[in-house]
Amino acid sequence: MCGIWALFGSDECLSVQCLSAMKIAHRGPDAFRFENVNGFTNCCFGFHRLAVVDQLYGMQPIRVKKFPYLWLCYNGEIYNFKQLQKQFGFEYQTLVDGEVILHLYNRGGIEQTASMLDGVFAFILLDTANRKVFLARDTYGVRPLFKVLTDDGFLGVCSEAKGLINLKHSTSLCPKVEPFLPGHYEVLDLKPSGKVASVELVKFHSYKDEPLHVVCDTVENLPSGSFDLETVKSNIRVLFENAVRKRLMAHRRIGCLLSGGLDSSLVAAVLLKLMKEMNISYPLQTFAIGMENSPDLLAARKVAAHIGSEHHEVIFNSEEGIQAIEDVIFSLETYDITTVRASIGMYLVSKYIRKKTDSVVIFSGEGSDELTQGYIYFHKAPSPEEAAEESERLLKELYLFDVLRADRTTAAHGLELRVPFLDHRFTSYYLSLPAELRTPKNGIEKYLLRQSFEDSNLLPKEILWRPKEAFSDGIASVKKSWFSILQDYIDQQVDDLLLEKAVEKYSFNPPKTKESYYYRQIFEKHYSGQSNWLPHYWMPRWVKATDPSARTLKHYKSATQE
């Protein structure tokens, strides 16, 4: 995890512009580099480094003797860089996994490069010999990327929008900053003036398609074409374990977020099992956050005891949570209600990890709810086919919601996130299964995933079959949800009259509650006029919901009520 930033064709002094690059310094607390591009005085790269692999040669932009005309700035981890080296006979000059991008590009161009990378990434690749700039982002947008491109060809690119919004440019008072689409690459011509012109934006991978890099995967071909239940369950276990194993690539200590729900518990259990097999010398640190006696804390305690991790509990009160709201919204760059609620706990636990431990690479369970139909409203899906379509829609929009939350809250404290449920091969296999197999069964969501691990003894049965609890709710007590605590506080902060006139003030995505008005106010304070970064609020479907919390749905039933 790191922060990348680049400008092409800047009319303003670069020493002034580079102050914007410092807005993302939290993403790379270990080192910073600012480098001009030879022959293009108005083009430059900025890089904030979190050193996870190759402590000696990991600075960027990456340049190697073999390709002196290539410049690479990337944020991410390429898990199959050694397999690609073996497959194509690449001669690496560093231990940096991202170096493979230069070799792939030299061998087969940008299309093959983006398609063959098994990992999470956002990158800027400059080819001065052919006068091209390439931008690319991984399938689910696990690593963030924003860009601004003006009519006269000034291009700014950054890991977070906050590094672009204050750029100076002669012809535009407020250039439009927008997220770069996941699963796409863009080709731009670089003119002698340093300005650029977009040539094409191409979607290189759809999450339903088996990725091209399967040809050099460490897992051999699985039995396919058969949807026999035992075969399916075995394939799910094999692919998920492989997804965790490949993400163990790190020279820094590994930890794991643990809410005590199914997803994070499975990640932690498989992670610890593999760390033992690989003889990793230190114990796995797991981290849970919640208010006193919250369901998540109690469940996480059970899981940690079962798997034998070094467990840490972070207990916070409502005042600490409320005080963090503005910092959280600034970090997130969104005003989505459920994203803000869920981010507060994750932001506070990440802060604890950074201050109190030496864990830097943090595993988490994001992506499972979208992939395996884990949200409670899936019980109301009219048909398996519509449930499958909804699952795909959620995956497509992950970069706007859960993946955004997970990246920004951890990156704000210089941590690197790893999300095995969003492994390309695991997700494409799961989505290839018949729609009927993937739906909730017997009133239980994620039934197939739970069933697949039932005989593994990885988790206690009551955790494996624990009902869905939204992270933003599970951190509080059953008696009073986190969203209720927030609403009670905000009710005193926002006047009724302000809410009545909200549509006049905020015509796009107008707030309909005091809570959403409060978040929007804070967002506009830091990112005025950028409300279009969020196309719509996250809300459950097929139910008449006025609030995104799972606890407001009729199906919700806490363990303490049973």
Side-chain angles (χ1 to χ4, degrees):
M1 198 280 299
C2 54
I4 60 175
W5 181 89
L7 299 185
F8 298 90
S10 174
D11 294 337
E12 299 293 323
C13 173
L14 290 179
S15 59
V16 174
Q17 299 279 49
C18 79
L19 293 174
S20 287
M22 302 316 291
K23 294 282 182 67
I24 59 162
H26 51 272
R27 296 189 70 89
D30 295 332
F32 171 68
R33 176 183 283 176
F34 182 74
E35 190 167 334
N36 286 34
V37 178
N38 303 346
F40 295 91
T41 54
N42 57 358
C43 302
C44 62
F45 289 93
F47 178 66
H48 294 276
R49 186 178 186 212
L50 178 68
V52 173
V53 296
D54 197 346
Q55 311 280 356
L56 188 58
Y57 294 109
M59 276 305 283
Q60 298 185 34
I62 296 173
R63 304 183 68 203
V64 295
K65 284 181 183 176
K66 193 172 183 181
F67 315 119
Y69 49 89
L70 296 182
W71 305 60
L72 172 69
C73 229
Y74 88 104
N75 169 24
E77 299 79 47
I78 311 303
Y79 305 121
N80 64 341
F81 77 109
K82 287 182 179 174
Q83 289 93 316
L84 289 168
Q85 180 183 33
K86 191 176 174 184
Q87 176 100 354
F88 298 121
F90 295 150
E91 293 178 9
Y92 293 156
Q93 292 176 30
T94 72
L95 299 175
V96 178
D97 51 289
E99 188 190 331
V100 70
I101 294 170
L102 301 176
H103 295 267
L104 279 172
Y105 170 72
N106 179 68
R107 182 186 181 276
I110 190 64
E111 174 89 40
Q112 188 194 63
T113 301
S115 302
M116 290 299 287
L117 298 175
D118 182 8
V120 293
F121 56 85
F123 68 74
I124 308 153
L125 177 62
L126 168 64
D127 179 346
T128 54
N130 294 294
R131 295 249 171 99
K132 298 283 185 191
V133 176
F134 303 96
L135 310 177
R137 190 177 181 191
D138 68 73
T139 302
Y140 294 109
V142 174
R143 290 293 175 261
L145 193 67
F146 286 81
K147 75 164 193 177
V148 57
L149 180 59
T150 64
D151 293 341
D152 68 333
F154 167 54
L155 173 69
V157 188
C158 190
S159 295
E160 297 182 19
K162 55 181 68 69
L164 299 175
I165 54 172
N166 293 319
L167 288 174
K168 304 284 187 289
H169 189 64
S170 55
T171 62
S172 181
L173 293 173
C174 188
K176 187 184 176 188
V177 177
E178 54 193 2
F180 190 82
L181 285 175
H184 286 71
Y185 68 80
E186 185 170 11
V187 182
L188 303 107
D189 282 333
L190 178 66
K191 298 172 184 177
S193 64
K195 305 280 187 186
V196 302
S198 181
V199 177
E200 59 177 346
L201 178 68
V202 178
K203 185 175 185 178
F204 66 84
H205 181 228
S206 174
Y207 38 80
K208 288 178 76 174
D209 300 334
E210 188 173 68
L212 290 181
H213 54 69
V214 162
V215 295
C216 54
D217 201 345
T218 49
V219 170
E220 294 175 13
N221 289 336
L222 295 165
S224 60
S226 164
F227 296 125
D228 164 70
L229 187 58
E230 290 309 310
T231 303
V232 166
K233 284 163 34 177
S234 170
N235 287 348
I236 286 171
R237 287 193 301 274
V238 167
L239 288 175
F240 184 68
E241 190 167 301
N242 184 49
V244 176
R245 183 183 290 107
K246 68 177 77 163
R247 284 163 176 77
L248 283 166
M249 180 182 88
H251 295 163
R252 302 286 287 273
R253 185 167 185 164
I254 291 168
C256 188
L257 299 181
L258 180 60
S259 69
L262 174 68
D263 309 327
S264 64
S265 299
L266 266 182
V267 172
V270 173
L271 177 57
L272 196 137
K273 171 178 173 270
L274 294 176
M275 285 172 70
K276 282 180 180 171
E277 286 176 15
M278 295 172 69
N279 294 317
I280 290 176
S281 58
Y282 54 80
L284 174 67
Q285 293 181 328
T286 50
F287 304 95
I289 185 164
M291 295 180 173
E292 205 77 57
N293 294 320
S294 69
D296 278 4
L297 283 183
L298 301 174
R301 214 174 285 163
K302 277 183 196 168
V303 177
H306 183 85
I307 66 175
S309 63
E310 181 194 300
H311 192 54
H312 296 241
E313 290 186 351
V314 181
I315 295 168
F316 76 105
N317 58 38
S318 54
E319 192 180 327
E320 288 169 314
I322 287 162
Q323 281 177 349
I325 293 173
E326 180 155 355
D327 288 343
V328 165
I329 292 172
F330 176 73
S331 295
L332 291 176
E333 303 173 335
T334 188
Y335 52 93
D336 178 62
I337 303 161
T338 192
T339 304
V340 174
R341 286 178 188 168
S343 295
I344 292 167
M346 203 160 178
Y347 182 89
L348 293 174
V349 76
S350 297
K351 187 177 182 180
Y352 170 90
I353 294 169
R354 186 69 193 178
K355 281 189 171 180
K356 305 285 187 183
T357 79
D358 58 347
S359 286
V360 173
V361 176
I362 306 298
F363 279 67
S364 190
E366 270 69 34
S368 176
D369 284 324
E370 292 76 10
L371 177 67
T372 67
Q373 303 184 15
Y375 293 114
I376 286 171
Y377 71 85
F378 273 99
H379 291 283
K380 305 290 185 184
S383 69
E385 290 69 30
E386 284 187 63
E389 282 175 23
E390 174 67 357
S391 178
E392 288 162 29
R393 181 189 72 83
L394 289 170
L395 286 166
K396 185 180 177 183
E397 294 188 343
L398 262 174
Y399 77 104
L400 297 166
F401 301 107
D402 277 26
V403 152
L404 179 149
R405 163 179 57 76
D407 173 82
R408 299 303 195 288
T409 54
T410 50
H413 302 290
L415 304 176
E416 177 175 299
L417 190 79
R418 301 213 172 158
V419 282
F421 274 109
L422 292 176
D423 181 76
H424 297 169
R425 194 162 175 203
F426 179 71
T427 56
S428 65
Y429 176 74
Y430 206 95
L431 293 171
S432 75
L433 299 172
E436 176 60 39
L437 259 186
R438 292 181 272 146
T439 57
K441 303 273 191 303
N442 306 328
I444 300 169
E445 62 285 341
K446 305 186 207 177
Y447 194 86
L448 177 60
L449 182 65
R450 298 175 198 269
Q451 218 180 3
S452 299
F453 288 92
E454 189 165 30
D455 299 323
S456 66
N457 197 37
L458 280 169
L459 294 172
K461 287 283 188 285
E462 68 268 28
I463 298 296
L464 188 64
W465 295 96
R466 183 189 176 199
K468 168 70 182 164
E469 177 79 270
F471 181 55
S472 58
D473 294 330
I475 58 174
S477 73
V478 173
K479 290 175 185 172
K480 188 157 190 180
S481 289
W482 175 229
F483 78 90
S484 300
I485 294 166
L486 286 168
Q487 287 171 351
D488 287 352
Y489 167 76
I490 290 167
D491 198 45
Q492 306 302 312
Q493 310 302 311
V494 177
D495 190 82
D496 291 345
L497 193 61
L498 285 176
L499 187 59
E500 282 171 30
K501 296 187 174 181
V503 181
E504 296 169 30
K505 190 171 184 181
Y506 305 121
S507 57
F508 183 77
N509 278 342
K512 293 180 179 170
T513 65
K514 287 188 175 183
E515 185 185 9
S516 60
Y517 188 96
Y518 186 72
Y519 298 158
R520 182 65 171 270
Q521 260 187 327
I522 295 171
F523 175 85
E524 294 288 345
K525 174 182 167 184
H526 295 287
Y527 307 110
S528 178
Q530 307 289 355
S531 59
N532 62 316
W533 292 344
L534 177 70
H536 61 87
Y537 292 105
W538 193 101
M539 287 292 281
R541 292 192 63 195
W542 308 307
V543 289
K544 290 179 181 176
T546 54
D547 191 282
S549 169
R551 286 192 181 178
T552 63
L553 303 182
K554 282 181 182 175
H555 189 88
Y556 175 78
K557 190 179 182 187
S558 81
T560 60
Q561 293 171 305
E562 292 176 346

